[in-house]
Amino acid sequence: INANDMDEAALQRFQQNQDALSSALSRLMVVVEKYPDLKANEQFRDLSSQLEGTENRIATARRDFNDAAQQYNTHRNKFPTVIVAGLAGFRERPYFTAQAGSEVAPTVDFSTEK
């Protein structure tokens, strides 16, 4: 996602998709809790590893997006650029903000003992 091409409506849709993905992953982890055999499956372990990598890439992309938006906004707001930008219709770019509480991963107990 390019910060220069993102308007507020597109960012809102992007955030909604990210929130839906986080919700789906949380539900998957709840299902896994109920099926201990699934936790021991090698394919599930591979999936868990891939999900962790995906979450890391998403966090990196969010940070890069916000860095690009901040860089754009800083440059746009410098004098005399701010005058020309205002006349030409260049607005500040919005930042990505995650859903409240999304920084805390759901607690999942992979132990087979209950």
Side-chain angles (χ1 to χ4, degrees):
I1 296 175
N2 186 341
N4 294 331
D5 298 334
M6 174 94 36
D7 62 7
E8 289 189 45
L11 182 62
Q12 183 66 25
R13 287 190 305 273
F14 178 74
Q15 284 183 255
Q16 288 171 347
N17 290 336
Q18 292 295 310
D19 293 342
L21 176 63
S22 294
S23 176
L25 290 175
S26 294
R27 286 191 306 272
L28 172 65
M29 299 314 284
V30 168
V31 168
V32 169
E33 287 261 331
K34 294 181 181 179
Y35 298 97
D37 293 341
L38 180 60
K39 290 186 271 188
N41 185 306
E42 182 179 333
Q43 290 177 339
F44 178 75
R45 287 194 308 263
D46 291 345
L47 174 63
S48 295
S49 176
Q50 290 174 4
L51 287 175
E52 181 180 345
T54 300
E55 289 174 349
N56 290 337
R57 286 189 297 278
I58 289 171
T60 299
R62 287 176 179 169
R63 186 181 61 246
D64 291 347
F65 175 86
N66 283 341
D67 288 347
Q70 181 180 19
Q71 210 171 28
Y72 171 86
N73 290 338
T74 299
H75 181 72
R76 183 210 172 272
N77 290 330
K78 288 183 181 176
F79 183 81
T81 308
V82 68
I83 296 170
V84 175
L87 293 173
F90 290 97
R91 296 185 314 252
E92 285 193 10
R93 298 294 179 202
Y95 294 102
F96 178 84
T97 53
Q99 183 180 22
S102 65
E103 69 280 357
V104 179
T107 303
V108 179
D109 179 15
F110 286 103
S111 68
T112 58
E113 298 175 11
K114 290 288 176 178

